[in-house]
């Protein structure tokens, strides 16, 4: 039995399947990485166009970040979270000062070990600040994690179904989906329409969320991804969030922005919400903060919501929160993104990638929509009509891509894609922010080959 065959047999016997998703059968095993590529046991390269769900924004084996991790291991690899260490304080200061410069508000940084855990902490902050209100608004198509609290504000019922009744389940509101908007509307008109549809909930007491006599909403906060991640990298009209924030401010509902997947220059800005000209009350981050090398996430909240008087010591706690390996990496990521013009670099690379996808769309009528902001890009795979979702075709593409037998200049290659979207028919592209023009060209050529082959094999 080969090494990989033995590993898969052991995985089938000893590993919980509950902590993973097997996109292909048999599951893929990778053994090495570098830059934009993963490598299997045969040394076959796989161009990775999803980079661990946008956690590895700065490339596999980033030498600068790897060296920081190595130094920190020899200096202070661990310390109990009730004690302080320099990089926790320094990283908090850098992020808080950046938020102040962009949004004009004082705030504080609160760390935990990852995205879902930081969402949990944000729920405590907004529930505490709203005198215990436990109800939230969230978007259809939104994804905030799979802990119990995060599942309650994530629209997919399948993440909750096995775990009992969620009495605090969010009120899910339609997210603007430009590709599937009503006919006859411009994108801006559609954005206004969606805002007005949400505002209708506050018209009278009989609309269900507002008491006009006391001027109190039943809901504490609205959890948003400025660009939906798992929902398919859906980019809303630019006017949408500004209108939404006005409605929230009028009714005392906090805006919590989830930047777990879109933060750290994925869209050409440190935070994707910067594209939409609104100020968050709470902002949650994780993933690329450490380039995927150490579990660390956190949140920023306005001073009024998180100061020690209102949110005292021990309000939340985790043994590994603000761990020194993670904060050292995070601090270096923040330094690195200030020394290099990531905004210009990402926007230029994203425009080049989007142009390639648009050319690919002309050759394949099954690509119904392409869109992107920075290096967060999407291609919606459809039937021949260019609109009806075609999940089966995309599943075939993913399987072929991970088989590692695409042809590139006479050599075998693979392609790593991520599946997203309401109908599981969207390729969500999140390549390394350092991806080269040659690698983008390679990716477009492999996608062309992959789509042609998948259609032939259907």
């Amino acid at each position: 039995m080969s090494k990989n065959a033995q590993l898969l047999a052991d995985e089938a016997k000893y590993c919980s399947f509950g902590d993973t998703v097997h996109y292909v059968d048999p599951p893929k095993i990778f053994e090495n990485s570098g830059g934009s590529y993963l490598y299997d046991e045969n040394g076959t390269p796989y161009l990775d166009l999803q980079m661990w769900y946008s956690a590895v924004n700065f490339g596999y084996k980033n030498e600068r970040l790897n060296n920081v991790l190595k130094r920190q291991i020899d200096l202070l690899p661990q310390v109990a979270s009730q004690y302080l260490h320099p990089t926790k304080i320094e990283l908090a200061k850098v992020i808080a000062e950046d938020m102040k410069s962009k949004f004009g508000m004082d705030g504080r940084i609160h760390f935990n070990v990852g995205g879902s855990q930081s969402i949990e902490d944000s729920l405590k902050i907004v529930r505490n600040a709203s005198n215990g209100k436990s109800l939230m608004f969230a978007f259809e198509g939104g994804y905030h994690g799979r802990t119990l609290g995060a599942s309650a504000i994530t629209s997919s019922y399948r993440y909750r179904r096995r775990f009992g009744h969620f009495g605090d389940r969010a009120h899910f509101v339609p997210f603007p989906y430009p590709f599937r908007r009503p006919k006859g509307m411009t994108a801006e008109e559609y954005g206004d329409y969606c805002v007005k549809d949400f505002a209708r909930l506050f018209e009278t007491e009989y609309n269900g969320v507002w008491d006009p006599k006391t001027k109190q909403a039943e809901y504490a906060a609205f959890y948003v991804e400025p660009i939906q991640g798992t929902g398919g990298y859906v980019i809303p009209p630019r006017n949408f969030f500004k209108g939404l924030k006005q409605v929230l401010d009028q009714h005392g509902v906090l805006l919590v922005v989830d930047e777990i997947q879109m933060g750290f220059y994925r869209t050409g800005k440190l935070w994707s919400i910067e594209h939409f000209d609104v100020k968050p009350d709470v902002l949650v981050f994780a993933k690329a903060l450490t380039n995927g090398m150490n579990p660390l996430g956190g949140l920023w909240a306005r001073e009024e919501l998180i100061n020690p008087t209102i949110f005292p010591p021990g309000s939340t706690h985790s043994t590994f929160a603000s761990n020194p390996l993670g904060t050292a990496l995070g601090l270096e990521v923040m330094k690195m993104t200030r020394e290099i013009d990531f905004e210009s670099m990402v926007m230029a690379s994203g425009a080049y990638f989007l142009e390639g996808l648009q050319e690919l769309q002309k050759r394949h009528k099954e690509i119904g929509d392409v869109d992107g902001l920075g290096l967060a890009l999407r291609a919606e795979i459809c039937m021949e009509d260019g609109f009806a979702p075609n999940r089966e075709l995309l599943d075939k593409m993913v399987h072929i891509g991970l088989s590692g037998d695409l042809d590139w200049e006479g050599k075998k290659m693979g392609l790593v894609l991520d599946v997203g979207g309401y109908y599981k028919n969207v390729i969500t592209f999140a390549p390394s922010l350092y991806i080269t023009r040659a690698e983008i060209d390679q990716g477009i050529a492999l996608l062309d080959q992959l789509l042609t082959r998948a259609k032939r094999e259907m």
Side-chain angles (χ1 to χ4, degrees), residues 6-282:
Q6 183 63 60
L7 285 170
L8 290 172
D10 289 345
E11 191 250 1
K13 183 175 181 179
Y14 299 115
C15 293
S16 165
F17 286 12
D19 64 355
T20 186
V21 178
H22 290 154
Y23 282 117
V24 295
D25 185 20
K28 193 69 190 177
I29 297 176
F30 290 110
E31 294 195 357
N32 206 338
S33 66
S36 292
Y37 297 90
L38 292 167
Y39 298 88
D40 66 15
E41 72 280 6
N42 299 315
T44 302
Y46 293 71
L47 177 62
D48 190 345
L49 295 181
Q50 63 111 347
M51 300 303 286
W52 198 7
Y53 315 116
S54 195
V56 192
N57 282 6
F58 308 102
Y60 292 111
K61 293 185 179 178
N62 182 296
E63 184 177 7
R64 175 171 176 172
L65 299 179
N66 282 12
N67 286 337
V68 167
L69 184 61
K70 293 171 185 176
R71 288 197 299 271
Q72 191 65 35
I73 286 174
D74 290 333
L75 180 64
L76 182 70
Q78 64 268 99
V79 66
S81 57
Q82 67 261 43
Y83 305 118
L84 294 174
H85 55 91
T87 55
K88 171 189 176 177
I89 301 167
E90 292 164 356
L91 177 58
K93 179 180 179 181
V94 168
I95 297 175
E97 287 185 341
D98 181 83
M99 295 293 289
K100 177 71 177 286
S101 70
K102 288 172 178 171
F103 300 114
M105 295 181 288
D106 290 322
R108 296 172 187 257
I109 307 303
H110 178 106
F111 291 111
N112 209 316
V113 294
S116 294
Q117 293 79 7
S118 297
I119 288 288
E120 294 287 327
D121 288 348
S122 75
L123 286 164
K124 281 191 173 182
I125 286 172
V126 299
R127 288 172 70 152
N128 178 67
S130 61
N131 297 314
K133 290 180 183 178
S134 61
L135 296 181
M136 310 293 158
F137 292 110
F139 280 121
E140 295 176 5
Y143 179 86
H144 302 286
R146 298 199 196 185
T147 54
L148 288 175
S151 294
I153 57 172
T154 292
S155 63
S156 299
Y157 170 51
R158 70 185 181 94
Y159 300 145
R160 297 187 298 275
R161 182 177 61 82
R162 295 178 178 87
F163 308 115
H165 177 64
F166 283 69
D168 57 355
R169 186 184 78 99
H171 180 127
F172 295 110
V173 175
F175 188 82
Y177 194 151
F179 177 56
R180 298 188 178 276
R181 69 181 182 267
K183 291 183 179 179
M185 283 188 184
T186 66
E188 290 72 22
E189 289 170 341
Y190 180 46
D192 288 337
Y193 169 82
C194 291
V195 170
K196 290 177 182 177
D197 190 55
F198 173 67
R200 183 190 62 80
L201 297 175
F202 299 88
E203 283 184 1
T204 74
E205 65 181 280
Y206 299 104
N207 295 86
V209 305
W210 177 248
D211 182 352
K213 291 185 179 180
T214 62
K215 298 193 181 303
Q216 288 188 344
E218 190 176 10
Y219 289 75
F222 200 138
Y223 275 74
V224 311
E225 295 168 284
I227 296 172
Q228 290 199 324
T230 301
Y233 283 24
V234 181
I235 303 169
R238 293 298 179 96
N239 60 328
F240 172 70
F241 278 111
K242 194 165 188 177
L244 180 70
K245 186 65 162 63
Q246 290 173 351
V247 176
L248 298 179
D249 287 346
Q250 288 168 7
H251 299 97
V253 179
L254 298 173
L255 178 67
V256 182
V257 174
D258 180 339
E259 294 278 0
I260 294 167
Q261 190 165 160
M262 293 297 161
F264 302 101
Y265 288 94
R266 171 55 54 199
T267 67
K269 301 280 189 183
L270 181 63
W271 312 121
S272 62
I273 195 65
E274 294 179 57
H275 292 283
F276 299 99
D277 193 27
V278 298
K279 298 178 180 180
D281 296 298
V282 180

Side-chain angles (χ1 to χ4, degrees), residues 347-368:
M347 295 306 288
S349 294
Y352 186 81
F353 202 139
L354 183 58
E355 184 179 335
L357 290 174
Q358 290 166 340
E359 289 299 314
L360 192 64
Q361 185 182 28
K362 294 175 183 177
R363 298 196 293 274
H364 296 277
K365 53 190 175 183
E366 292 83 4
I367 301 178

Side-chain angles (χ1 to χ4, degrees), residues 370-384:
V370 297
D371 199 3
L373 186 57
L375 280 168
L377 302 125
R378 72 190 310 269
E380 186 149 349
I381 305 302
C382 301
M383 299 294 187
E384 290 189 0

Side-chain angles (χ1 to χ4, degrees), residues 388-415:
N390 193 342
R391 177 177 181 172
E392 293 75 16
L393 180 57
L394 181 51
D395 284 345
K396 176 66 74 173
M397 292 173 65
V398 170
H399 194 280
I400 296 172
L402 289 177
S403 68
D405 64 353
L406 296 171
D407 178 73
W408 180 253
E409 298 180 348
K411 297 180 180 179
K412 296 295 185 183
M413 270 202 69
L415 191 62

